[in-house]
Amino acid sequence: MVTLAQLKSGQSSTVVDIQGGRRMADRLNALGIIPGKKITKTSAMLMRGPVTIEVDRVEVAIGFGMANKVIVRPDRVP
Amino acid sequence: MTRILLMGNPNVGKSALFSRLTGVQAIVSNYPGTTISYTRGHMKLGEEIAEVIDVPGTYTLEPTSEAEEIALRLLDSGDIVINVANAINLERNLYLTLQLLERGIPMVVALNLWDDTKHRGVDINLEKLRELLGVPVIPTVAVTGEGIKELVENISMATSPHHLPTTRDERWATIGKIIEQVQRISHRHHTWQERLADASVKPLSGGLIALAILAGSFFIIRFIGEGLINYVLDPLFNTLWSPVVLKLSQLMGGGGFLHDLVIGKIIGGELNFVESFGLLTSGLYVPLGVVLPYIVAFYLVLGILEDTGYLPRLAVLMDTIMHRLGLHGYAIIPNLLGLGCNVPAILATRILESKRERFIAATLISIAVPCAALQAMIFGLVGARGLGYVAIVYGTLFIVWIILGIILNRTVKGFSPELLIEIPPYRLPPWRTVAQKLWIRTYGFLAEAIPIILGAILVINVLYILGVFDAIANFTAPVVTGLLGLPKEAVTALVIGFLRKDVALGMLAPLALTSGQLVVGSVVLAMLFPCIATFVVMFRELGWVNMLKAVGVMIVAALATGGILNLIL
């Protein structure tokens, strides 16, 4: 398992855990990013910039610090 | 009167639907958080007239920002909810739908952006969805008007089926079951919009795209603004209006109190629309001849940028830099809006989550982001001395924006949350909404600015005659002359800046300043005291304690920057 920040761009994965305060979990929950959800990382900015992911056909940008607290399990590449 | 609330996730097209239902023009854009306070309108519902409210977008009824709190407060006052949902992303949108159903308020679901479902490979079984939710579900395309008639017919059939309040996890489980039964997804190849979307948030290509867009915007704004001035408005004023004013001047005897008030000073039979300061000369020329062209140009370009969906991507690119200023990337949107007018910009800081961010953003906007009216005057007056000087003004304000942001980030207590935003897909701007927005904003400028400008010119003339300005000028001479190196009369402009910045800068024109002095004057005027409208909105949004803090920062920053510029130039 890796954090969303560590996940490679283009890689799909499943959210396992959200390790942050309640507020952070609330904000991610509002965007449908919850444990068990399939997400694909589309890109990451340099210098600890935001990570962009695709969740249910919608693109979402997540600040680096937050992305570092989202634990995902990368899908096996067939 | 029945009150209908339009509620849904951000950027699902509530405002577009609102315009369709009520005929009231609302600002529609392609980014989450366009509507930060509510708009009210009316529609016919059978025989009676119902009130319709365009509620700011919200993901849940557990608010995480000011705009979402407003949405929650409005919910208690509504009789019927039209829940606007994004057909492309039913999963997440249903979360709010379920929360609303748990509230037991009669509801209809408008499944908007329905036209996108086909090419995105989303297939939704509407019958099944109606059955599972227990409320009418109408597919709509608000931008084109598709499905609006059916929606209106179904409003009276709004029902409140019995949904028991549940926990977050149970809600997601329910959604999972619904989705399983109603939605089929088939794979589709990427469109060119999606390819471009990917490229614009990748570090290298994204940076290049951003530079190209910002540079392009700047040149288009200047091209349109200057074009309108040189080929339309100046000829109109010079060939048509000037003779009328000169004739009137003759009729009024060429001088005296009333003449100076209406026409202003005419030096050697020549009319100078900027410097004469009469109601019919500067009073009309400043708002219509100088500022209006740039307002039109700026809001046209901004409107297109808003509607394509580019702005959230710019937010992603700017995030790292904005963190240094105690903000996150999304704060770039209020700052950009500030280049048009500071008032809506400070209102737009509501999309930021914490009080600290809102204070920092509002302070930075009011100090270092010049509005379009002021910028138009800067281009007109400072630009006449050479574009290099204009570059110094902009460069200085940009450096102030950065340094002040870094200082505020280090000193303001509290916490700035991280960026978390939905990035909408790119769309070709619907010309109808671009035109509509341009009209709303231009009209807003004319309705607001012209009375204040005329009032300001009246006040200026009266104060001159009463000798009030001389008293102020003598009193503030040590600061204005000593620190800023400006003639003491320049203080009148700084005082009038409180009413309107464009008129104030115009007051520097007759003072025969050197180019360096004009740069100092422009920068200080831009930074010191926002206009009264901005003051009011800062007071309302920040409270008086924080507003006074912002003003303190403003005075110190403006005088320090002006003093330093005076030493350098």
Side-chain angles (χ1 to χ4, degrees):
Chain A
M1 281 188 284
V2 294
T3 70
L4 183 53
Q6 293 164 330
L7 191 72
K8 283 201 186 78
S9 289
Q11 174 99 60
S12 59
S13 64
T14 307
V15 179
V16 176
D17 190 22
I18 288 165
Q19 304 181 329
R22 201 192 129 76
R23 225 186 124 69
M24 188 184 123
D26 281 355
R27 291 179 71 204
L28 288 168
N29 176 74
L31 286 161
I33 301 161
I34 48 170
K37 187 61 93 179
K38 284 250 176 221
I39 60 175
T40 305
K41 182 165 172 176
T42 43
S43 66
M45 293 302 294
L46 302 173
M47 292 169 64
R48 301 166 67 85
V51 168
T52 45
I53 62 165
E54 196 186 307
V55 47
D56 294 330
R57 299 164 303 287
V58 168
E59 217 178 334
V60 173
I62 304 179
F64 185 86
M66 221 186 243
N68 230 346
K69 292 180 190 147
V70 177
I71 311 296
V72 296
R73 182 187 298 115
D75 291 352
R76 290 237 179 91
V77 188
Chain B
M1 191 166 21
T2 311
R3 184 181 258 192
I4 301 170
L5 303 177
L6 282 170
M7 293 189 75
N9 284 187
N11 211 42
V12 293
K14 290 178 295 301
S15 298
L17 201 59
F18 173 79
S19 292
R20 286 280 169 191
L21 290 176
T22 62
V24 172
Q25 299 186 330
I27 294 211
V28 175
S29 300
N30 184 14
Y31 62 85
T34 305
T35 311
I36 30 79
S37 81
Y38 61 93
T39 321
R40 197 192 299 257
H42 294 93
M43 66 176 284
K44 257 189 96 170
L45 192 62
E47 290 302 300
E48 81 168 317
I49 300 289
E51 184 182 40
V52 186
I53 292 183
D54 182 18
V55 178
T58 181
Y59 291 109
T60 78
L61 296 180
E62 302 140 12
T64 54
S65 76
E66 171 96 16
E68 291 194 340
E69 274 167 33
I70 293 171
L72 189 62
R73 280 203 295 274
L74 281 167
L75 180 59
D76 294 323
S77 71
D79 302 306
I80 298 175
V81 167
I82 298 178
N83 173 217
V84 189
N86 180 351
I88 300 305
N89 182 237
L90 199 55
E91 289 97 322
R92 195 199 60 212
N93 283 258
L94 280 178
Y95 191 81
L96 179 67
T97 308
L98 290 187
Q99 281 188 318
L100 287 168
L101 285 172
E102 287 164 25
R103 286 277 183 136
I105 183 166
M107 196 166 92
V108 183
V109 174
L111 211 48
N112 200 30
L113 302 164
W114 185 252
D115 54 336
D116 275 3
T117 53
K118 274 201 199 78
H119 77 260
R120 297 291 298 270
V122 179
D123 182 49
I124 295 170
N125 181 340
L126 289 168
E127 267 315 309
K128 194 81 195 159
L129 186 59
R130 282 178 195 130
E131 183 193 317
L132 291 171
L133 293 177
V135 297
V137 177
I138 316 297
T140 57
V141 185
V143 180
T144 63
E146 208 183 309
I148 302 300
K149 203 166 152 270
E150 293 87 326
L151 180 65
V152 173
E153 286 163 5
N154 273 279
I155 291 176
S156 50
M157 304 210 259
T159 47
S160 52
H162 201 59
H163 281 252
L164 287 173
T166 53
T167 65
R168 190 177 283 184
D169 290 345
E170 286 170 341
R171 227 171 265 141
W172 285 120
T174 311
I175 290 169
K177 280 185 208 133
I178 296 175
I179 290 297
E180 211 168 275
Q181 297 179 65
V182 305
Q183 185 176 271
R184 293 281 170 276
I185 304 293
S186 47
H187 185 75
R188 284 291 187 275
H189 283 290
H190 270 203
T191 60
W192 65 269
Q193 279 112 324
E194 284 159 348
R195 270 178 235 282
L196 188 61
D198 288 346
S200 44
V201 288
K202 289 209 163 72
L204 184 63
S205 53
L208 292 175
I209 291 173
L211 278 179
I213 288 181
L214 294 179
S217 302
F218 178 81
F219 282 108
I220 294 170
I221 290 170
R222 195 156 153 69
F223 179 77
I224 298 176
E226 289 296 287
L228 284 175
I229 289 175
N230 291 333
Y231 298 105
V232 182
L233 289 151
D234 269 358
L236 276 179
F237 270 95
N238 289 331
T239 56
L240 289 179
W241 190 233
S242 190
V244 175
V245 173
L246 285 174
K247 186 85 196 160
L248 194 66
S249 164
Q250 268 180 2
L251 287 175
M252 294 179 78
F257 172 71
L258 200 60
H259 175 274
D260 285 0
L261 193 62
V262 176
I263 314 257
K265 294 189 173 47
I266 294 180
I267 302 140
E270 285 283 319
L271 201 50
N272 185 321
F273 277 118
V274 176
E275 295 181 15
S276 52
F277 264 88
L279 291 172
L280 294 182
T281 49
S282 304
L284 293 181
Y285 185 72
V286 168
L288 298 177
V290 185
V291 177
L292 181 67
Y294 273 101
I295 294 277
V296 170
F298 175 81
Y299 281 126
L300 176 68
V301 171
L302 180 71
I304 293 171
L305 283 181
E306 285 179 331
D307 285 8
T308 54
Y310 182 68
L311 297 183
R313 291 171 173 88
L314 186 62
V316 172
L317 285 166
M318 294 292 289
D319 189 56
T320 309
I321 297 169
M322 299 301 278
H323 267 288
R324 309 260 162 176
L325 316 184
L327 299 167
H328 63 59
Y330 218 41
I332 197 69
I333 293 182
N335 276 283
L336 275 181
L337 292 177
L339 291 172
C341 173
N342 282 353
V343 173
I346 289 169
L347 283 174
T349 61
R350 286 186 189 167
I351 58 174
L352 303 173
E353 294 84 358
S354 77
K355 281 221 159 68
R356 174 182 195 260
E357 284 175 295
R358 295 197 62 200
F359 173 74
I360 294 177
T363 307
L364 285 181
I365 291 166
S366 65
I367 296 176
V369 179
C371 68
L374 180 61
Q375 291 183 69
M377 291 297 283
I378 289 175
F379 269 101
L381 285 184
V382 184
R385 310 289 180 97
L387 282 182
Y389 291 106
V390 177
I392 298 176
V393 173
Y394 277 82
T396 307
L397 290 176
F398 183 68
I399 292 168
V400 167
W401 186 72
I402 298 274
I403 292 179
L404 201 58
I406 293 172
I407 294 171
L408 288 173
N409 184 29
R410 302 246 164 115
T411 50
V412 178
K413 282 200 205 81
F415 154 83
S416 285
E418 287 206 62
L419 179 76
L420 180 63
I421 51 163
E422 181 181 346
I423 306 179
Y426 276 132
R427 296 180 198 286
L428 286 174
W431 294 109
R432 223 180 71 94
T433 72
V434 171
Q436 200 174 61
K437 266 198 290 199
L438 181 60
W439 167 246
I440 295 174
R441 286 163 161 170
T442 307
Y443 178 80
F445 162 75
L446 292 175
E448 200 134 290
I450 290 180
I452 296 180
I453 287 177
L454 293 176
I457 286 180
L458 202 70
V459 168
I460 292 165
N461 281 303
V462 171
L463 291 185
Y464 261 124
I465 290 161
L466 295 177
V468 176
F469 278 142
D470 288 334
I472 301 175
N474 287 330
F475 179 70
T476 55
V479 175
V480 174
T481 311
L483 183 65
L484 303 177
L486 298 174
K488 65 179 184 182
E489 292 79 19
V491 78
T492 54
L494 299 182
V495 172
I496 290 303
F498 189 66
L499 282 175
R500 283 288 309 182
K501 299 259 177 165
D502 39 16
V503 177
L505 195 58
M507 291 177 74
L508 292 178
L511 295 181
L513 300 180
T514 66
S515 299
Q517 283 175 321
L518 195 56
V519 168
V520 174
S522 303
V523 170
V524 173
L525 195 57
M527 293 176 64
L528 196 66
F529 294 121
C531 70
I532 192 156
T534 310
F535 248 121
V536 171
V537 78
M538 282 179 84
F539 167 72
R540 280 213 314 254
E541 295 296 308
L542 302 178
W544 65 274
V545 174
N546 278 326
M547 186 201 76
L548 287 182
K549 274 189 206 160
V551 170
V553 174
M554 188 178 293
I555 293 174
V556 173
L559 294 181
T561 310
I564 293 169
L565 273 182
N566 177 31
L567 289 179
I568 299 172
L569 294 171

